[in-house]
Amino acid sequence: MSRSSSVLTRCCLLLFAALLSASLAAPAAQGAPAPLGTTPITPSTAQCGKQTSVATTAACGAALRDKFLRARGQSDVVRHTVVTPPGWGWGWWSQAGPTICGYADFPAVPGLPVLAVGTHHCDRTTFVVANRDRYLFADDLRATVVLIHESGHGVQEKAGADVVLPTLLGDVATQKPLEQSADCWAGVGIGYLIAEGDLPASARDGALALMNAVGDGVPGTMHGTGAERQAAFEAGLRDGVRACNALAGRRMFA
């Protein structure tokens, strides 16, 4: 979901950290604690309306996301929602998909690209990179949209898709359908929460504005342009998971 300028600069350190630590870090087991160094977010609707920090908006968004996932029978796709620490990274072999997982948020080094990964999801864990993505968690609605989008990658992971390697390889043809269908899934989720009365009807316009703002500026990139992201989101609002499966290219969402 992050608007980082380069796939390589966002991802190369994650690959390095994962390969370096794979022999040291045991794979996450069922019921395992949150990843090393991260701060777990406890989903809570009591935090809705506070909007005082990334922690409060993420807690609200996670609670609303979890309500939606339960309604769809997908509550098992997110085990942890965590905030990553700045200046740190870690990686391991994923238990939820045939790939590596991890996070990285290292400072810039003169002469080298910024080696960091934005907010993302793998191995049933959603990583909130507060140091880089405060914009995405500036209010409850944005946090909810982002976290439902990321849970879409969890649904894809559950369906057997590799949600990490295509990004690491810069494989737009494989990754873009995953991103577009996750945007669609966010539309399904926001539509559900509006219908349930958890969000106002105006949340639709706010979510569409966010989709436009986080679109890649150049066509043919991983996430799509703002207009493409809006279209995918609206497809989910209008047509439900049928549209998300069509964007994914196969049945993943139920």
Side-chain angles (χ1 to χ4, degrees):
M1 191 77 182
S2 176
R3 296 180 297 171
S4 302
S5 60
S6 166
V7 171
L8 289 178
T9 58
R10 283 166 44 200
C11 299
C12 62
L13 189 58
L14 174 59
L15 177 60
F16 173 78
L19 294 175
L20 180 65
S21 62
S23 62
L24 302 175
Q30 188 78 11
L36 181 70
T38 64
T39 301
I41 290 289
T42 300
S44 173
T45 54
Q47 298 301 318
C48 296
K50 294 183 177 180
Q51 302 186 150
T52 55
S53 66
V54 169
T56 61
T57 61
C60 173
L64 296 179
R65 172 206 62 199
D66 288 354
K67 178 177 180 178
F68 167 61
L69 293 178
R70 287 193 298 271
R72 301 299 312 192
Q74 298 282 11
S75 58
D76 59 334
V77 302
V78 180
R79 175 174 52 209
H80 297 297
T81 303
V82 300
V83 176
T84 64
W88 188 258
W90 191 247
W92 59 91
W93 295 111
S94 173
Q95 289 291 287
T99 188
I100 57 177
C101 184
Y103 67 91
D105 185 15
F106 286 82
V109 176
L112 294 175
V114 177
L115 300 176
V117 180
T119 296
H120 63 287
H121 181 98
C122 54
D123 203 8
R124 296 176 58 202
T125 303
T126 297
F127 299 89
V128 175
V129 186
N131 189 46
R132 302 183 60 80
D133 288 337
R134 292 188 182 280
Y135 172 81
L136 300 178
F137 294 87
D139 57 51
D140 294 340
L141 175 59
R142 293 183 194 182
T144 304
V145 173
V146 171
L147 292 177
I148 295 177
H149 168 97
E150 296 302 338
S151 77
H153 293 310
V155 176
Q156 295 160 353
E157 189 177 58
K158 180 180 175 182
D162 189 329
V163 299
V164 176
L165 190 58
T167 299
L168 293 175
L169 297 177
D171 182 356
V172 174
T174 300
Q175 188 67 19
K176 188 172 181 179
L178 298 178
E179 297 297 342
Q180 292 275 280
S181 58
D183 285 343
C184 176
W185 179 248
V188 177
I190 295 302
Y192 167 79
L193 293 169
I194 291 173
E196 287 288 296
D198 296 292
L199 293 173
S202 60
R204 174 188 178 277
D205 292 338
L208 284 169
L210 177 63
M211 285 288 123
N212 184 61
V214 297
D216 294 330
V218 180
T221 47
M222 291 285 183
H223 293 85
T225 64
E228 287 176 318
R229 300 198 74 171
Q230 285 182 320
F233 182 90
E234 285 194 291
L237 274 171
R238 182 182 63 249
D239 300 325
V241 294
R242 178 182 61 181
C244 305
N245 289 328
L247 285 166
R250 66 182 177 93
R251 190 175 186 275
M252 292 185 175
F253 299 89

